[in-house]
Amino acid sequence: MRVSDLKEARASKAKPLKNVLLAGLYNQPRSGYEMTKWLQVAGQHCWSVEHSSVYPALRALENDGLIKSERLPGTRGPERLIYSVTDAGREELTAWVASGSPRPAIKDEQILRVLCFDLLPRETALQQIRAVRADHQAQLEFFLERQNALTEHQLGPLLVTRRGVLAEQAYIAWCDEVEEMIARRPA
């Protein structure tokens, strides 16, 4: 692979993170730490990011003039940088939102494991799918609580949370089907 191809591949991977951060800052100015927490809560079912990637991406966005930072007193400690979207950042975010998205890639290791459940004894497979279901049930409860706290005046966060609710409900229904089918299988 050529050096220019590597740079292009890195740039295409970095751009979605920049758009995710712009989206988070569009909703509310935040510090880098708050952005990480926001991603863990609001975006956990649609985007994951390493905490260490947030700050370099924020610096790059600021260098590109898409966000600006302001030093403000911390609530329980030293000053912190609070980032907000600039007019140029809002224009770029609007263009990105308007451009649509390709079909998302699904990477679910659990589904790959289920693909090979025939290798496991029935009880082991049942234990595993029940644990997965319990995890998704807890996530569903989190989303339902969040959904109840949002109003239609917070349309974007409400719609994203609603997607999380539906995704978790579907995953739970799938787990129930898997459990029923495994339970009917000879031991």
Side-chain angles (χ1 to χ4, degrees):
M1 186 177 261
R2 297 178 316 193
V3 172
S4 61
D5 292 339
L6 284 172
K7 286 181 182 176
E8 189 174 315
R10 283 189 197 121
S12 69
K13 283 184 178 180
K15 190 164 178 79
L17 174 57
K18 290 180 180 182
N19 290 323
V20 168
L21 295 176
L22 280 173
L25 294 172
Y26 164 73
N27 285 301
Q28 175 182 333
R30 305 171 202 273
S31 68
Y33 175 77
E34 290 167 334
M35 277 302 305
T36 301
K37 290 298 179 191
W38 175 80
L39 283 165
Q40 290 172 347
V41 172
Q44 64 182 298
H45 66 282
C46 61
W47 194 266
S48 64
V49 64
E50 296 293 323
H51 177 72
S52 61
S53 302
V54 171
Y55 290 97
L58 287 170
R59 280 192 297 277
L61 284 168
E62 190 166 24
N63 289 340
D64 293 344
L66 302 176
I67 64 172
K68 62 184 177 184
S69 64
E70 180 181 5
R71 285 200 178 280
L72 295 175
T75 55
R76 285 184 265 157
E79 285 186 337
R80 57 195 183 132
L81 286 178
I82 302 297
Y83 298 92
S84 59
V85 177
T86 63
D87 289 341
R90 186 181 174 109
E91 286 176 25
E92 180 153 322
L93 182 60
T94 300
W96 174 72
V97 171
S99 70
S101 299
R103 184 168 175 82
I106 297 173
K107 295 180 181 178
D108 187 334
E109 191 173 324
Q110 183 58 49
I111 291 176
L112 291 176
R113 290 173 193 266
V114 170
L115 183 65
C116 301
F117 263 12
D118 291 337
L119 297 170
L120 298 178
R122 181 174 63 183
E123 284 308 311
T124 303
L126 284 170
Q127 286 174 348
Q128 193 175 115
I129 202 65
R130 287 174 184 151
V132 170
R133 188 194 190 286
D135 181 56
H136 284 274
Q137 183 65 45
Q139 190 63 43
L140 173 61
E141 290 167 14
F142 169 82
F143 283 134
L144 288 171
E145 185 178 311
R146 180 165 166 70
Q147 176 180 282
N148 291 335
L150 296 169
T151 68
E152 288 192 19
H153 295 291
Q154 300 162 303
L155 186 60
L158 178 61
L159 293 173
V160 170
T161 301
R162 185 72 188 130
R163 171 63 173 86
V165 166
L166 295 172
E168 294 303 328
Q169 287 172 334
Y171 212 110
I172 290 166
W174 175 76
C175 287
D176 290 343
E177 279 187 38
V178 170
E179 183 175 353
E180 286 176 25
M181 293 176 83
I182 292 170
R184 289 192 305 258
R185 179 177 110 179

